[in-house]
């Protein structure tokens, strides 16, 4: 086994988010750093999407399992909070996967979010029929990172991975 | 020389006042987020409609997550200075009422939906200002937790502001309930701005900005801001209403009855 960061990255691309299994942790942008401390020892620094994200412990466990299966003897997982995670770190590939999965991907740059009251992110594309005639049902959806929208053309409700 | 300064049991060296201050500050932030999270969590499966049930419990999840981050940091500080073996769980589940430093408003019963969303608004508008200050703190870990939490709190402020306006400027019924909620909760906002001896943020300086925010939302909601009312205080220093004991009893009974229980 060639112990390179690229090799580790490709292993991490096989670790999926337990709540949105179509996304890998690399797609989400939560892997912040890979430190090879030894030939068979590695430290992975990850950051949570939201403070209360209940998937973090499962993700840390899955990373350990994946790397140990590949021959690493010591895998250390370190959490970092800074800089705070943003949807801007999500890969284009991840966004495409989300869309195919039926979740509208984040469409804006988080710093340009409109914080005006009763204003919502507009023109979110329905992942079913691709109409942009959609409306917000709730800022908070089935998980902390999603909002609930409804398509006004095909009438289907759908999750939107909101900008953060 | 005899002093009242606490001593580190393992090293015999005095625990600096600064460390104590930092521990208490961190516990205050943790307790406040935990207790409000625990209260809001009571809405789970009882919300007025499904979407809002999910909204309030998502806010709860954010608050519990923030509390965990603060407790983990507090545990690190305590263990480093006092040779103890605290964890986020022991701090949440095994401390007594008088040791909790949460704001009083967080421990009050939920009341109706109007009271719940009004509390969220009054608190989140305050928390946002505190986190903005802490984000620039010279303490890196507090700054990191604050920066992370702030992004979540901004959602809470927006969501709860909209609900205050919707109910205040809504039907006669919703408006009456919002006015009643203001009567109930307003007296608990005073202590936000009374600095505790451990607070790193100069909270008294945040009052005017908070007040302007509240006034602007109340105006849009056609609600009056109370004037010259009696203000309660004590939560920050561990003097609580009778309500905290009941929450702690419910929250802590499992760990106190079956120490170390896991599921």
């Amino acid at each position: 086994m060639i112990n390179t960061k690229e090799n580790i990255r490709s292993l991490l691309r096989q670790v999926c988010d337990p709540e949105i299994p179509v996304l890998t942790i690399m797609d989400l942008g939560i892997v912040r750093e890979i430190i090879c401390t030894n030939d068979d020892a590695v430290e992975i620094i990850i950051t949570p999407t939201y403070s209360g994200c209940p998937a973090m412990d499962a993700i840390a466990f899955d990373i350990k399992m994946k790397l140990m299966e590949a021959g690493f003897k010591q895998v250390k997982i370190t959490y970092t909070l800074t800089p705070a995670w943003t949807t801007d770190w999500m890969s284009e590939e991840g966004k495409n996967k989300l869309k195919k999965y039926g979740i509208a991907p984040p469409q804006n740059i988080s710093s340009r979010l409109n914080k005006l009251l009763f204003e919502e992110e507009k023109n979110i594309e329905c992942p079913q029929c691709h109409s942009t005639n959609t409306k917000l049902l709730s800022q908070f959806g089935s998980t902390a990172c999603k909002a609930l929208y409804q398509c006004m053309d095909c009438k289907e409700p759908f999750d939107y991975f909101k900008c953060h | 020389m005899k002093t009242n300064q606490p001593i580190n049991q393992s090293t015999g060296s005095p625990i600096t006042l600064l460390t104590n201050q930092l521990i208490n500050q961190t516990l205050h932030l943790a307790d406040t987020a935990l207790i409000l999270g625990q209260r809001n969590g009571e809405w789970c499966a009882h919300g007025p409609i499904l979407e809002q049930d999910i909204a309030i419990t998502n806010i709860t999840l954010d608050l519990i997550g923030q509390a965990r981050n603060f407790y983990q940091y507090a545990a690190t500080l305590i263990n480093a200075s006092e040779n103890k073996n605290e964890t986020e769980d022991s701090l949440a589940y095994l401390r007594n009422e008088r040791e909790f430093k949460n704001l009083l408003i967080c421990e009050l019963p939920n009341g109706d939906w109007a009271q719940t969303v009004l509390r969220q608004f009054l608190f989140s508008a305050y928390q946002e200002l505190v986190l903005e200050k802490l984000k620039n703190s010279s303490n890196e870990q507090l700054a990191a937790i604050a920066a992370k939490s702030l992004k979540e709190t901004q959602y809470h402020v927006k969501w709860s502001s909209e609900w205050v306006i919707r109910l205040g400027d809504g039907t006669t019924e919703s408006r009456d309930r919002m006015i009643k909620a203001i009567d109930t909760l307003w007296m608990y906002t005073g202590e936000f701005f009374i600095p505790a001896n451990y607070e790193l943020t100069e909270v008294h300086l945040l009052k005017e900005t908070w007040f302007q925010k509240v006034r602007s939302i109340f105006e849009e909601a056609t609600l009056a801001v109370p004037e010259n009312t009696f203000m309660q205080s004590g939560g920050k220093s561990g003097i609580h209403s009778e309500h905290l004991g009941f929450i702690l009893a419910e929250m802590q009974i499992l760990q106190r009855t079956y120490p170390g229980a896991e599921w």
Side-chain angles (χ1 to χ4, degrees):
Chain A
M1 188 191 65
I2 310 158
N3 182 358
T4 63
K5 282 195 184 179
E6 193 38 55
N7 179 30
I8 295 168
R9 271 192 212 99
S10 72
L11 288 167
L12 294 178
R13 272 192 282 272
Q14 298 166 35
V15 177
C16 295
D17 180 291
E19 285 183 332
I20 312 172
V22 70
L23 288 185
T24 75
I25 55 172
M26 298 304 276
D27 291 328
L28 270 169
I30 60 175
V31 176
R32 302 313 299 155
E33 211 174 330
I34 297 167
I35 303 167
C36 301
T37 42
N38 214 323
D39 260 0
D40 55 4
V42 65
E43 179 179 3
I44 310 291
I45 300 177
I46 55 176
T47 192
T49 52
Y50 285 70
S51 297
C53 178
M56 285 312 278
D57 292 338
I59 288 171
F61 181 77
D62 291 347
I63 293 174
K64 272 195 172 165
M65 290 304 286
K66 178 60 70 184
L67 293 175
M68 284 178 156
E69 276 168 21
F72 286 92
K73 297 270 188 296
Q74 285 173 23
V75 181
K76 186 181 173 196
I77 311 289
T78 306
Y79 298 92
T80 182
L81 288 173
T82 188
W85 178 83
T86 159
T87 40
D88 301 347
W89 296 344
M90 189 185 289
S91 69
E92 283 307 309
E93 196 190 336
K95 288 180 184 175
N96 289 331
K97 284 195 232 169
L98 270 183
K99 206 186 277 186
K100 282 189 196 131
Y101 188 63
I103 297 173
Q107 66 168 18
N108 294 309
I109 304 292
S110 62
S111 57
R112 290 195 212 131
L113 264 192
N114 189 341
K115 301 212 170 71
L116 280 179
L117 296 183
F118 300 104
E119 290 277 331
E120 58 201 61
E121 286 187 74
K122 292 197 177 68
N123 305 318
I124 308 295
E125 190 184 301
C126 168
Q128 308 296 336
C129 75
H130 309 294
S131 162
T132 51
N133 179 21
T134 56
K135 71 162 187 181
L136 176 79
L137 292 182
S138 174
Q139 257 183 69
F140 299 90
S142 56
T143 62
C145 51
K146 285 176 275 170
L148 193 61
Y149 273 72
Q150 185 178 15
C151 177
M152 301 315 288
D153 285 334
C154 76
K155 308 296 182 198
E156 276 292 313
F158 62 91
D159 273 332
Y160 169 55
F161 202 115
K162 64 193 173 198
C163 290
H164 189 71
Chain B
M1 191 176 70
K2 198 178 169 191
T3 69
N4 290 326
Q5 207 167 11
I7 300 294
N8 182 326
Q9 298 300 322
S10 60
T11 62
S13 60
I15 297 166
T16 65
L17 282 175
L18 210 60
T19 307
N20 260 338
Q21 184 185 3
L22 187 55
I23 290 169
N24 286 330
Q25 165 75 81
T26 309
L27 286 173
H28 159 65
L29 296 164
D31 292 340
T32 293
L34 177 71
I35 297 300
L36 184 54
Q38 179 76 8
R39 270 292 181 227
N40 282 345
E42 292 172 17
W43 277 105
C44 189
H46 299 277
I49 53 169
L50 183 60
E51 286 79 5
Q52 298 312 323
D53 189 301
I54 293 171
I56 192 79
T57 42
N58 261 299
I59 290 172
T60 297
L61 187 64
D62 287 339
L63 288 167
I64 302 282
Q66 295 168 9
R68 287 190 63 188
N69 285 332
F70 285 124
Y71 280 130
Q72 285 166 12
Y73 181 50
T76 312
L77 291 169
I78 294 168
N79 296 341
S81 74
E82 297 176 46
N83 194 29
K84 285 188 178 167
N85 196 20
E86 299 286 3
T87 64
E88 53 177 323
D89 286 334
S90 68
L91 291 174
Y93 293 128
L94 301 176
R95 281 184 311 139
N96 294 322
E97 183 199 1
R98 288 293 286 267
E99 295 170 277
F100 271 73
K101 294 169 179 58
N102 60 282
L103 296 168
L104 295 172
I105 200 169
C106 301
E107 71 203 42
L108 299 179
N110 288 334
D112 59 10
W113 185 248
Q115 191 173 320
T116 295
V117 296
L118 179 69
R119 168 170 59 191
Q120 196 63 50
F121 168 64
L122 297 172
F123 170 73
S124 294
Y126 168 72
Q127 195 199 24
E128 182 177 23
L129 300 178
V130 171
L131 293 174
E132 268 169 6
K133 290 281 175 208
L134 276 178
K135 191 179 74 166
N136 300 318
S137 162
S138 58
N139 181 295
E140 280 179 19
Q141 188 60 15
L142 279 187
I145 301 172
K148 180 86 197 156
S149 307
L150 184 59
K151 294 179 74 171
E152 295 150 4
T153 299
Q154 283 163 347
Y155 277 114
H156 308 168
V157 172
K158 180 173 152 83
W159 176 86
S160 56
S161 300
E162 289 174 358
W163 268 104
V164 169
I165 294 167
R166 199 174 281 132
L167 296 183
D169 193 18
T171 64
T172 317
E173 169 86 20
S174 71
R175 182 182 164 73
D176 285 349
R177 284 177 183 247
M178 193 46 85
I179 290 169
K180 191 168 149 266
I182 296 172
D183 285 346
T184 307
L185 295 177
W186 191 259
M187 71 171 94
Y188 296 96
T189 59
E191 74 165 341
F192 291 178
F193 309 104
I194 303 172
N197 58 9
Y198 52 75
E199 272 183 295
L200 300 166
T201 313
E202 294 180 294
V203 285
H204 56 287
L205 300 180
L206 305 176
K207 188 172 183 178
E208 195 46 44
T209 315
W210 177 84
F211 195 73
Q212 275 171 19
K213 169 81 181 179
V214 171
R215 194 165 46 202
S216 75
I217 297 297
F218 276 23
E219 261 171 28
E220 209 170 328
T222 68
L223 295 164
V225 177
E227 283 172 42
N228 301 324
T229 48
F230 168 75
M231 289 292 185
Q232 297 278 3
S233 66
K236 287 180 182 180
S237 52
I239 312 296
H240 293 279
S241 69
E242 69 271 31
H243 305 295
L244 184 66
F246 289 97
I247 306 179
L248 293 184
E250 190 178 339
M251 200 178 77
Q252 297 184 335
I253 185 170
L254 192 93
Q255 280 303 323
R256 289 194 186 269
T257 314
Y258 304 99
E262 287 183 26
W263 61 283

